[in-house]
Amino acid sequence: MFLVGGSAVTISLFPDSDSDGDRDIAGNDDGVGYGIDDDDDNENGDTPAMHAKLLTNPPQARPSLKSLTMHTSTFLLGLATAFASVSSAHTLFSNIFINAVNQGDGTCIRMEMTASTATYPVRDYKSKEMACGRDGQNAVAFTCRAPAGAKLTLEFREYVDLAHPGAIDPSHKGARAVYAKKVSNMQTTSAAGGGWFKIWDEGYDEKQKLWSTIKLNNAKGLLSIRLPSGLPSGYYLLRSEIVTIQNVTNGVVAPQFYIGCAQLYVQGADDAAPIPDSKTVSIPGHIHPSDIGITFNIYEVPLKLPYVTLGPKPYIPTSSTSASSIAKAAAVPFTGAVPDTCLLKNANWCGIEVPSYTDEDGCWAASSNCWKQQDTCYDMAPPTGSKGCAEWDKKKCTVIQNKCKAGDFVGPPDKGVKLPNVDADNVDVNALPPVQVEDESENEEGTAADVVVDGGESGEGDETPASASVYVTVPVAEATATSAPVAAATPGCGCGCGRRVRQ
């Protein structure tokens, strides 16, 4: 037991087997898990807000100007980090690679900021959350530049902190799609509403006998697609949609939607035409109760194929300008780019240099400035983590503080030197050899779109026309594997199906 904000809190390392209704650290009232139990004996145990506070907003001490108190993370931060990985998870769109360059965990990504429920699905397909997920109406600080025709790789995680491998629980079977929407203002234009057009989708692969979600796990959580070359320049929301139907039977329709959005500035070709209204849909509004995509019963033997994906057919506007030519064009300044003054980044936060100083008061003022930036970093940290905040503490704030303590009042040390970013996990999206597979989606001319299981380089120097090419990093041996027998599944068993007990 320890105190948090004056309240006594007990962390139990044993399963919550007392059937008292307390939720485990994932917010599940299932009687199994690692419990955080407060002494208020509220009906549902700890709330997701408490979990989010523990996991993403650890309290930080703030030194006064001349305080010699060492500024360090508290014991609570260590406990939160230790228990973050035990959360039960579904899936989360965590980060994006542009032409094989990882933009950083959470950078340019709109996601739910409550860590304990960030991987949970949207269940009401009529809600605004269908556009960009929970908290998806709120813009993030940064927008990533992506030339039209670029290769975009989306990463998905079952565990937001990468404590365990996996993209989505294997019991969750269903389809995937990627949409885009051109917006006039990233900060003020609503994600919900009209203007969305689909650029890729995949449901059940009849040749490989695999659901698209299973292929995502086989691909180690990576999905790479080609951004259409015919997009006009401007700001876009890139929307990932995963719909799982493991809870759908002949008598129950309970699909789950996993939604996330990335903020992009697309530098397009000069000959790009506006997106036709006839190719766009409203989200919410693109799904109807009778759609096969949400009423399909995956437990029937044999399956009533074909499975029809939700929403419109993909629209792939093309350009006569090659993708590499667009990528090599001079970069156009845009609002929301990571600033040049950024010394270290964590998701959508940047640390900037503290004011210069030549005396003791100035030294401690700079130290205070640094710690306040760190506090903001933790406040803004998404569920994907706060490694950059800890690095700012270690490499910047602690160094300045120690200089002040030692009587070295001229600084800051290493003024203006950028620190290596630590918020990008080391993933090689080009590590596997290419293999050709078929896809039945159609581009605007009605011809079959090329789908490539890819491990080759792309981006500059890639003269392949950027039409409907889709890149999916999948090991060859796994790509030909069949799924588990349908008869082995339990119809309508819910998200708890196949839940693994964390040891």
Side-chain angles (χ1 to χ4, degrees), residues 192-263:
W196 290 101
F197 57 101
K198 186 190 287 184
I199 61 175
W200 178 82
D201 68 0
E202 181 182 59
Y204 183 79
D205 187 327
E206 295 186 42
K207 184 175 182 179
Q208 296 187 28
K209 295 182 173 57
L210 291 174
W211 285 99
S212 185
T213 50
I214 300 301
K215 294 171 76 173
L216 179 63
N217 265 337
N218 291 347
K220 305 186 188 306
L222 300 175
L223 167 66
S224 294
I225 66 171
R226 181 70 73 181
L227 192 63
S229 65
L231 293 180
S233 294
Y235 297 95
Y236 287 80
L237 289 172
L238 185 83
R239 174 182 179 271
S240 167
E241 175 184 284
I242 298 177
V243 54
T244 64
I245 49 178
Q246 74 280 355
N247 288 344
V248 176
T249 65
N250 290 334
V252 177
V253 178
Q256 298 175 350
F257 300 91
Y258 298 90
I259 311 296
C261 288
Q263 298 181 177

Side-chain angles (χ1 to χ4, degrees), residues 97-160:
F97 300 71
I98 299 176
N99 284 332
V101 177
N102 192 343
Q103 302 301 300
D105 290 0
T107 300
C108 303
I109 306 294
R110 298 185 182 187
M111 66 178 73
E112 181 180 354
M113 293 296 287
T114 303
S116 62
T117 55
T119 63
Y120 282 20
V122 173
R123 301 179 188 275
D124 182 4
Y125 59 83
K126 297 179 182 179
S127 74
K128 289 184 177 181
E129 293 175 351
M130 281 296 293
C132 284
R134 286 182 293 274
D135 294 334
Q137 288 290 103
N138 303 324
V140 294
F142 295 148
T143 296
C144 294
R145 178 182 179 271
K151 174 183 173 181
L152 303 182
T153 302
L154 288 62
E155 182 177 359
F156 299 84
R157 300 175 183 175
E158 184 178 355
Y159 294 86
V160 294

Side-chain angles (χ1 to χ4, degrees), residues 255-289:
Q256 298 175 350
F257 300 91
Y258 298 90
I259 311 296
C261 288
Q263 298 181 177
L264 302 179
Y265 177 80
V266 175
Q267 187 164 333
D270 293 337
D271 61 348
I275 304 299
D277 290 340
S278 61
K279 301 296 184 180
T280 67
V281 295
S282 177
I283 301 178
H286 70 307
I287 296 174
H288 304 282

Side-chain angles (χ1 to χ4, degrees), residues 468-480:
S469 295
V470 177
Y471 293 77
V472 187
T473 310
V474 183
V476 177
E478 294 178 348
T480 57

Side-chain angles (χ1 to χ4, degrees), residues 64-119:
S64 61
L65 291 184
K66 295 186 179 181
S67 170
L68 297 183
T69 302
M70 182 64 85
H71 185 112
T72 60
S73 300
T74 67
F75 176 64
L76 180 58
L77 173 59
L79 286 174
T81 302
F83 289 105
S85 64
V86 303
S87 296
S88 174
H90 303 274
T91 193
L92 174 79
F93 173 24
S94 62
N95 53 329
I96 189 168
F97 300 71
I98 299 176
N99 284 332
V101 177
N102 192 343
Q103 302 301 300
D105 290 0
T107 300
C108 303
I109 306 294
R110 298 185 182 187
M111 66 178 73
E112 181 180 354
M113 293 296 287
T114 303
S116 62
T117 55
T119 63

Side-chain angles (χ1 to χ4, degrees), residues 214-397:
I214 300 301
K215 294 171 76 173
L216 179 63
N217 265 337
N218 291 347
K220 305 186 188 306
L222 300 175
L223 167 66
S224 294
I225 66 171
R226 181 70 73 181
L227 192 63
S229 65
L231 293 180
S233 294
Y235 297 95
Y236 287 80
L237 289 172
L238 185 83
R239 174 182 179 271
S240 167
E241 175 184 284
I242 298 177
V243 54
T244 64
I245 49 178
Q246 74 280 355
N247 288 344
V248 176
T249 65
N250 290 334
V252 177
V253 178
Q256 298 175 350
F257 300 91
Y258 298 90
I259 311 296
C261 288
Q263 298 181 177
L264 302 179
Y265 177 80
V266 175
Q267 187 164 333
D270 293 337
D271 61 348
I275 304 299
D277 290 340
S278 61
K279 301 296 184 180
T280 67
V281 295
S282 177
I283 301 178
H286 70 307
I287 296 174
H288 304 282
S290 60
D291 286 346
I292 294 176
I294 59 173
T295 61
F296 192 91
N297 187 344
I298 66 173
Y299 304 108
E300 288 190 333
V301 180
L303 292 175
K304 292 183 179 180
L305 299 170
Y307 173 86
V308 180
T309 55
L310 294 168
K313 292 182 178 180
Y315 171 64
I316 313 295
T318 58
S319 169
S320 60
T321 306
S322 69
S324 62
S325 296
I326 296 174
K328 292 175 181 177
V332 176
F334 64 93
T335 302
V338 177
D340 292 337
T341 55
C342 183
L343 300 185
L344 181 69
K345 180 173 65 66
N346 187 86
N348 297 289
W349 169 90
C350 262
I352 61 174
E353 188 57 88
V354 301
S356 298
Y357 52 88
T358 58
D359 56 29
E360 183 176 5
D361 284 346
C363 187
W364 287 111
S367 177
S368 179
N369 177 289
C370 191
W371 293 122
K372 287 179 180 179
Q373 289 191 60
Q374 185 205 40
D375 289 343
T376 302
C377 182
Y378 278 115
D379 288 342
M380 292 179 61
T384 48
S386 54
K387 290 184 290 187
C389 308
E391 191 74 359
W392 182 254
D393 176 330
K394 178 181 177 182
K395 299 291 181 64
K396 197 70 178 176
C397 299

